Amino acid sequence: MTTAQISLRNVSKVFETDTMETHALRDISLDIMPGDYVAITGPSGCGKSTLLSILGLLDSISAGEYQLDGQNMAAISLDQTALIRNHKLGFIFQSFNLIDEISVLDNVMLPLRYAAKPVSNEQMYQQAKSCLAKVGLSHRESHKPAQLSGGQQQRVAIARALVADPKVLLVDEPTGNLDSQSGNQVMELLSELNLQGTTICLVTHDSRYADMAKRKLQMLDGTLLHAPSGENA
Ligand code: ADP
């Protein structure tokens, strides 16, 4: 039996302020297998982005357990957390978060500058070029992000997410700022990446795009409406 790449057990997340507590996630249990493509849907405020932040080690859990590749994420140091985030995980958000002052190629190379093992300039250049080719933007490598369309900018953001060869892509409303044609192209690209073996966890409110995933999970009021499931789902 294949081991889950991502395993959440009874995970809760409470945001506390002086005056109130918000239970953003309640007792979530979920297995995501290598090569899976999971879409998480649900109404605004139900906890989708919080769940993705926790999977991406951008936020901590209040209770429960999160294992990534069999390793308990509560038992690692902050430095290890940063390394795991850079090596194993790639992020794609609704806003492209590209740096406008540098070229498309430099944007894509950026994560490699923070890699644990030093990467030579030549290697960074080759990896970034190869990722830009994957997203069909080799001919735009010297452009600045603002010179590209929204769809092209999102594809640059995808190339940047891929450059350190992550095992899992965490994707939050990737088409939110795109027209439908560009949105479709981005979603087709994600499907191709999944076919090539990348695990994808997608948050979307668009049911057409959720249908492109292998599994659809629905959230409501911080809970997951479906039971955890693994490779037999
Ligand atoms: P979704 O992505 O489904 O719209 P979120 O995960 O953003 O939902 O939010 C889930 C709940 O947690 C909401 O009630 C939201 O207001 C609350 N929340 C999210 N982030 C914070 C935060 N940093 N501090 C306090 N409450 C938060």
Side-chain angles (χ1 to χ4, degrees):
M1 189 180 137
T2 317
T3 313
Q5 196 160 31
I6 283 175
S7 174
L8 299 182
R9 282 294 170 272
N10 309 109
V11 165
S12 297
K13 175 68 184 179
V14 184
F15 291 108
E16 290 183 57
T17 64
D18 290 345
T19 51
M20 66 184 287
E21 281 188 349
T22 304
H23 290 258
L25 300 180
R26 297 168 189 267
D27 205 24
I28 300 257
S29 292
L30 169 66
D31 284 338
I32 300 179
M33 311 307 287
D36 211 345
Y37 185 169
V38 176
I40 298 168
T41 61
S44 182
C46 71
K48 303 182 298 295
S49 298
T50 303
L51 178 57
L52 215 58
S53 295
I54 281 173
L55 295 180
L57 302 172
L58 300 168
D59 209 342
S60 59
I61 60 180
S62 308
E65 188 170 293
Y66 172 17
Q67 290 200 0
L68 180 60
D69 285 336
Q71 193 177 12
N72 182 358
M73 292 295 107
I76 58 172
S77 68
L78 278 179
D79 282 353
Q80 281 175 310
T81 304
L83 283 181
I84 289 174
R85 199 187 297 123
N86 289 346
H87 279 199
K88 295 196 173 180
L89 305 171
F91 296 88
I92 299 163
F93 298 104
Q94 177 170 341
S95 53
F96 320 125
N97 301 326
L98 299 171
I99 298 175
D100 281 335
E101 289 72 26
I102 60 177
S103 72
V104 159
L105 190 70
D106 283 333
N107 266 280
V108 176
M109 277 197 281
L110 217 49
L112 296 177
R113 299 197 185 280
Y114 300 101
K117 280 191 215 143
V119 183
S120 71
N121 283 341
E122 176 61 20
Q123 205 180 335
M124 274 194 249
Y125 178 71
Q126 291 305 338
Q127 279 179 235
K129 276 180 87 83
S130 145
C131 288
L132 274 178
K134 265 193 199 168
V135 302
L137 283 176
S138 298
H139 59 305
R140 292 287 184 265
E141 67 173 49
S142 306
H143 284 58
K144 297 275 169 57
Q147 296 172 312
L148 304 184
S149 70
Q152 288 174 326
Q153 289 189 47
Q154 189 58 299
R155 279 150 60 200
V156 174
I158 294 174
R160 182 187 53 189
L162 292 175
V163 77
D165 196 22
K167 301 292 168 271
V168 180
L169 277 184
L170 299 170
V171 189
D172 198 352
E173 299 285 6
T175 60
N177 285 333
L178 302 180
D179 60 69
S180 63
Q181 195 186 350
S182 309
N184 292 345
Q185 280 178 357
V186 161
M187 294 308 299
E188 279 163 23
L189 181 57
L190 291 179
S191 292
E192 268 171 46
L193 294 171
N194 175 248
L195 281 177
Q196 290 162 19
T198 306
T199 307
I200 297 182
C201 187
L202 164 76
V203 162
T204 181
H205 66 270
D206 190 323
S207 58
R208 288 173 310 149
Y209 294 148
D211 285 341
M212 294 171 81
K214 289 177 181 162
R215 282 203 285 153
K216 273 196 289 185
L217 303 176
Q218 249 198 312
M219 289 186 72
L220 187 65
D221 296 336
T223 61
L224 208 49
L225 295 184
H226 297 282
S229 49
E231 59 189 351
N232 298 324

